[in-house]
Amino acid sequence: MSSVDSLDSLLTQLRALADQAQGMKAPAPSTGSEGDFANTLKGVVNSVNDLQAKSSALQAQFSSGDQSVSLSQVMVASQKAGLSFQTMLQVRNKLVSAYQDIMNIQA
C-alpha cells in the first residue's frame, strides 16, 4: 500500500468519524479491527520515514560524485519526502484538533 493510499484511507476514516460525531450520517461499517487505524497510521509514518531515508541516500550518492544519480532524481526524491512529511504533519494537526474538540465537549 503506497503512502498516498494509506493517507487516503486515513482521511476517509477521519471524515466518517467526523460525520458520525456531527450526526450527519449513520456510522460507517467497519472494515477491520479497531487496531486497523493504528496500523494504518503506523504504516503511513513508516512510509514517510522510508521516503526520507531514500532521499537522504540519493543526496549522499550525488554529493559523493556517483554518476548513476542525477540531480533531477535527487530533487524529485527530496520533494516527495517533503510533501509526504507535510501531509503527515497536517493529518497529525487535524487529529490533535479533533481530540481537543472532543475533550472540550461538555456532557
Side-chain angles (χ1 to χ4, degrees):
M1 178 180 278
S2 72
S3 63
V4 173
D5 292 336
S6 297
L7 286 175
D8 285 341
S9 172
L10 181 62
L11 287 174
T12 301
Q13 289 176 357
L14 287 174
R15 286 184 184 127
L17 289 172
D19 290 344
Q20 181 182 352
Q22 292 177 355
M24 295 170 44
K25 290 184 182 178
S30 178
T31 58
S33 67
E34 292 180 8
D36 192 35
F37 179 79
N39 291 335
T40 301
L41 193 57
K42 184 177 180 180
V44 169
V45 170
N46 288 338
S47 176
V48 169
N49 187 42
D50 290 343
L51 284 172
Q52 289 179 335
K54 288 177 187 175
S55 174
S56 294
L58 282 175
Q59 288 174 3
Q61 287 177 332
F62 184 77
S63 296
S64 68
D66 188 350
Q67 296 294 323
S68 66
V69 179
S70 68
L71 179 61
S72 61
Q73 287 176 315
V74 173
M75 295 306 294
V76 167
S78 176
Q79 289 298 313
K80 282 183 182 179
L83 267 172
S84 64
F85 181 77
Q86 289 298 321
T87 303
M88 185 184 70
L89 186 65
Q90 292 302 319
V91 169
R92 183 211 57 147
N93 290 343
K94 291 292 184 181
L95 285 170
V96 169
S97 176
Y99 176 79
Q100 289 172 341
D101 290 345
I102 290 170
M103 290 296 117
N104 289 332
I105 293 175
Q106 294 178 350

